[in-house]
Amino acid sequence: MNEGPGKVLPFTMNDTKTPPSNPEPAEELRQLGAALSALGRSAFAGGRVLSAELLRKARTIVDSAREEIDKLAEKEKKQP
């Protein structure tokens, strides 16, 4: 199988959890979790210590992404 960093395995009938009735949001959430996990592994690979400036830039990028997600969620709420 395609196991390893950044790889997300699909739901199989052998999984112990019941598949959701609408698998798309669940799969997207799983993919998002995998992407966030990969971000953490990348930032701290091999126990490396990043400079304060690099960490500040990364935090700014994450904050911007969060703001964009909030805007998209609010926009989706307003749609009929």
Side-chain angles (χ1 to χ4, degrees):
M1 287 197 136
N2 292 335
E3 294 183 30
K7 302 290 182 185
V8 176
L9 301 176
F11 179 86
T12 65
M13 295 312 287
N14 295 330
D15 288 346
T16 57
K17 296 179 183 171
T18 305
S21 58
N22 184 358
E24 282 187 29
E27 180 59 25
E28 288 301 323
L29 186 58
R30 189 188 325 222
Q31 294 279 347
L32 177 59
L36 291 171
S37 179
L39 174 64
R41 283 193 306 275
S42 178
F44 303 106
R48 71 177 160 194
V49 177
L50 303 176
S51 70
E53 182 62 26
L54 184 57
L55 290 170
R56 192 173 301 113
K57 287 179 181 180
R59 184 173 45 85
T60 300
I61 292 167
V62 170
D63 287 344
S64 294
R66 180 190 45 80
E67 290 170 2
E68 283 299 312
I69 291 168
D70 288 345
K71 287 177 189 175
L72 290 171
E74 190 62 35
K75 190 176 184 179
E76 189 172 279
K77 276 186 199 177
K78 291 179 181 180
Q79 291 180 353

